[in-house]
Amino acid sequence: MMMKSKLLAPLAAAAAVLGLAQPAFASHPPTPRISMAHARAQALRLAPGRVISAEYENEGGIWRYSFDIQQRGNVQEIGIDAMTGRVVENRSEGRHDRD
């Protein structure tokens, strides 16, 4: 038994260093510093209209709020960084929501 634990210890250490012992993503998202209500108000200032979808998501390695806003003849996607409040996306999706 002692021999087996001596052999497994280096493997366990290597797995820990390489991050193989833990899942790639946390089981739950981090608590945002910016509220969804604040991010929504900011998004609507940038693209006035009707919010047709809103979500808290991890995209491109950052946690953000994503809003699809229906405007006259256009859907605008606004992304707000949930930790800093910075605008990370402001693009047209055309006449229809593509998400």
Side-chain angles (χ1 to χ4, degrees):
M1 219 30 134
M2 184 72 137
M3 178 92 120
K4 192 175 191 179
S5 65
K6 284 184 177 180
L7 291 174
L8 292 179
L11 292 175
V17 168
L18 294 173
L20 300 175
Q22 298 177 5
F25 295 99
S27 59
H28 56 83
T31 303
R33 292 187 185 141
I34 307 299
S35 71
M36 182 174 272
H38 179 82
R40 180 185 180 108
Q42 185 177 359
L44 286 169
R45 280 192 299 276
L46 292 168
R50 181 176 59 91
V51 175
I52 56 175
S53 76
E55 61 185 321
Y56 180 49
E57 64 182 358
N58 185 322
E59 188 171 303
I62 64 166
W63 283 94
R64 69 183 219 157
Y65 295 108
S66 178
F67 301 95
D68 289 338
I69 302 171
Q70 180 69 59
Q71 297 181 305
R72 190 170 286 149
N74 182 54
V75 175
Q76 193 74 14
E77 183 173 1
I78 306 291
I80 306 291
D81 186 310
M83 300 302 162
T84 66
R86 276 190 17 237
V87 176
V88 293
E89 183 172 22
N90 185 351
R91 70 177 177 88
S92 172
E93 292 192 331
R95 296 186 69 78
H96 302 287
D97 184 10
R98 298 183 203 283
D99 289 339

